Amino acid sequence: MTRTVTLHGYRYSVYTRMAHLALRAKKVVFDWVEVNPFLSEGTPPHPFGRVPVLDDDGFRLFETGAITRHIDRAFDGPALSPLAVQPAARMDQCIAVIDNYAYWPLIRQVFAHAVFRPLEGETADAQQIAKGLAAAGPVLNVLDQFAQEGHILDGKTLTLADCHLIPIIDYFTRAPQGQTAVASCPALERWWGRMQHTPLVQTTDPQLPGRP
Ligand SMILES: N[C@@H](CCC(=O)N[C@@H](CS)C(=O)NCC(=O)O)C(=O)O
């Protein structure tokens, strides 16, 4: 019997892309159901109105950290979680840092207001960009230290930390201010320099409106 895997997600969502990256890294065949959580009519099968949701042959999961770990455990392909204790802990820590301290300032404040809203013809709030940039500084420093240490984010061995961080840094550096901020974090910049042209990153590019 064929195993049916479905990703319910929104094409421009960083969290959807995290799950998408894990599925692609494991070479899982899956269907994509497009759901825009910001429109009331497109209600995803998620109790809190978010994306993504993964359906693995009838087993439904929400929360991206659980989804990507499930993908890693439930499918063949390269392991995306380090076996060694310290790198595994650092990967988990990195994912939590992204959820708790990176998503809001880097994506919802800087990227949304400096890049996405202008592309969509919506008004942007310069104060939100300034607040997001200020909050982004300490987060980027922590991520830079992770990359510098070398347990994760080494630009060679892909882990779930990469799957979670790629969408965030990709969008953040599309804002000139974000690019400048990352340029002051040498190890993080080196990591992104290695990752950004990989087939995995290219094939999961959300193709923002107005970009070739
Ligand atoms: N804790 C959730 C967060 C997911 C999330 O915030 N997704 C965003 C899109 S990137 C969303 O659905 N936002 C809709 C909203 O904020 O109403 C997870 O880990 O999956």
Side-chain angles (χ1 to χ4, degrees):
M1 281 241 302
T2 320
R3 181 175 181 180
T4 305
V5 179
T6 306
L7 181 65
H8 298 258
Y10 172 48
R11 71 184 69 188
Y12 303 131
S13 147
V14 286
Y15 277 101
T16 301
R17 191 178 183 195
M18 293 170 193
H20 189 191
L21 281 159
L23 286 166
R24 290 266 181 179
K26 302 290 272 193
K27 299 194 169 27
V28 177
V29 176
F30 67 99
D31 297 317
W32 179 296
V33 175
E34 181 71 11
V35 182
N36 183 344
F38 298 100
L39 298 178
S40 50
E41 64 259 32
T43 311
H46 190 297
F48 308 113
R50 304 289 177 102
V51 289
V53 173
L54 184 79
D55 188 315
D56 178 7
D57 230 16
F59 179 67
R60 283 210 167 178
L61 262 183
F62 64 91
E63 290 305 298
T64 309
I67 291 172
T68 58
R69 287 177 179 95
H70 173 76
I71 292 166
D72 190 27
R73 290 188 285 250
F75 296 94
D76 293 336
L80 300 177
S81 305
L83 289 176
V85 170
Q86 289 185 3
R90 202 60 95 207
M91 181 189 82
D92 287 344
Q93 187 187 18
C94 181
I95 292 171
V97 165
I98 290 165
D99 286 342
N100 294 307
Y101 312 110
Y103 172 64
W104 195 265
L106 277 71
I107 301 303
R108 297 294 290 269
Q109 292 184 302
V110 176
F111 168 75
H113 287 272
V115 180
F116 196 73
R117 281 171 180 245
L119 281 177
E120 295 271 271
E122 291 173 21
T123 48
D125 181 344
Q127 267 197 348
Q128 288 294 321
I129 300 173
K131 279 186 190 165
L133 280 173
V139 183
L140 293 173
N141 282 339
V142 164
L143 295 168
D144 190 43
Q145 282 164 26
F146 291 166
Q148 176 66 43
E149 180 188 41
H151 282 325
I152 54 168
L153 308 177
D154 66 2
K156 290 180 237 156
T157 307
L158 195 84
T159 74
L160 295 179
D162 298 276
C163 295
H164 283 251
L165 190 56
I166 285 165
I168 301 284
I169 297 299
D170 187 344
Y171 271 3
F172 184 63
T173 54
R174 292 183 194 204
Q177 307 93 320
Q179 204 162 16
T180 305
V182 170
S184 67
C185 300
L188 186 64
E189 192 192 32
R190 202 159 44 244
W191 165 81
W192 180 235
R194 286 183 177 158
M195 298 309 300
Q196 65 181 321
H197 301 298
T198 58
L200 191 66
V201 172
Q202 303 281 315
T203 54
T204 60
D205 187 311
Q207 307 289 338
L208 288 179
R211 277 172 65 94

